Amino acid sequence: MKSLFFHSRIFFFLIVFSALTENKTIAHHELKNNNSNETVQDPILEKTTLYKTNVHASYYHDKFNGRKTASGQKYDNTKYTAAHKKLKFGTKVKVTNPRNGKSVVVTVNDRGPFVSGREIDLSKRAFNEIADGRKSGFLMVNLEIVE
């Protein structure tokens, strides 16, 4: 009898835990590392909504570094930013590489990409973080909107 009570409590805990964590992900916010000038991502639990799966992502060429984006901000290839044709500026998007499970959260601050078949352009830093050292400039990703 004691065993049945114990197992039912564990089952209840698992149900409550899964309900609390449903549709939540680790989002990342940029922070300055006090020991260096390096920007790092700080994980925070946030809710996401699936936007698109298996879409084509690429990254900005270095020649765009320092240029003004469509939002008016300067493009910086060391930040976690992206260009998208339709999403509002300031939208946070979780970009996941399904081949290795790595993901990064970027902020939309530009328009593009303007190449047929591409869904999102990532900053070089964001792309390299999920790409596993790929030499090509594109990969297939899943996109989720971070709320």
Side-chain angles (χ1 to χ4, degrees):
M1 188 68 144
K2 191 175 191 180
S3 177
L4 179 62
F5 177 72
F6 176 74
H7 285 82
S8 64
R9 290 185 76 186
I10 289 176
F11 182 72
F12 176 76
F13 171 78
L14 291 174
I15 290 174
V16 170
F17 181 76
S18 67
L20 290 174
T21 58
E22 183 178 346
N23 291 330
K24 295 202 184 233
T25 188
I26 299 294
H28 300 277
H29 298 277
E30 292 184 19
L31 296 176
K32 282 286 187 186
N33 184 343
N34 289 337
N35 299 331
S36 70
N37 285 337
E38 183 180 343
T39 303
V40 295
Q41 287 200 337
D42 176 38
I44 296 179
L45 195 64
E46 293 191 16
K47 186 176 179 181
T48 63
T49 304
L50 184 62
Y51 181 65
K52 291 190 176 183
T53 60
N54 202 35
V55 294
H56 196 232
S58 54
Y59 70 90
Y60 284 86
H61 190 279
D62 287 335
K63 72 180 182 181
F64 295 109
N65 198 39
R67 292 188 186 177
K68 200 178 245 190
T69 64
S71 69
Q73 297 175 344
K74 249 188 195 180
Y75 171 66
D76 183 345
N77 63 8
T78 67
K79 302 286 185 193
Y80 295 95
T81 58
H84 193 272
K85 293 175 197 142
K86 296 179 183 176
L87 294 173
K88 291 181 185 178
F89 294 140
T91 301
K92 293 198 179 298
V93 181
K94 180 182 176 188
V95 183
T96 303
N97 178 349
R99 297 188 100 189
N100 62 16
K102 291 183 179 181
S103 64
V104 66
V105 175
V106 295
T107 303
V108 175
N109 72 342
D110 202 5
R111 290 292 169 234
F114 298 109
V115 176
S116 180
R118 291 191 187 164
E119 182 69 25
I120 192 166
D121 268 340
L122 302 173
S123 65
K124 192 170 187 178
R125 181 171 192 174
F127 183 89
N128 286 336
E129 197 164 302
I130 63 173
D132 273 346
R134 288 178 54 120
K135 299 295 181 201
S136 65
F138 71 91
L139 54 96
M140 302 308 283
V141 298
N142 297 331
L143 304 177
E144 297 171 80
I145 305 299
V146 179
E147 297 174 24

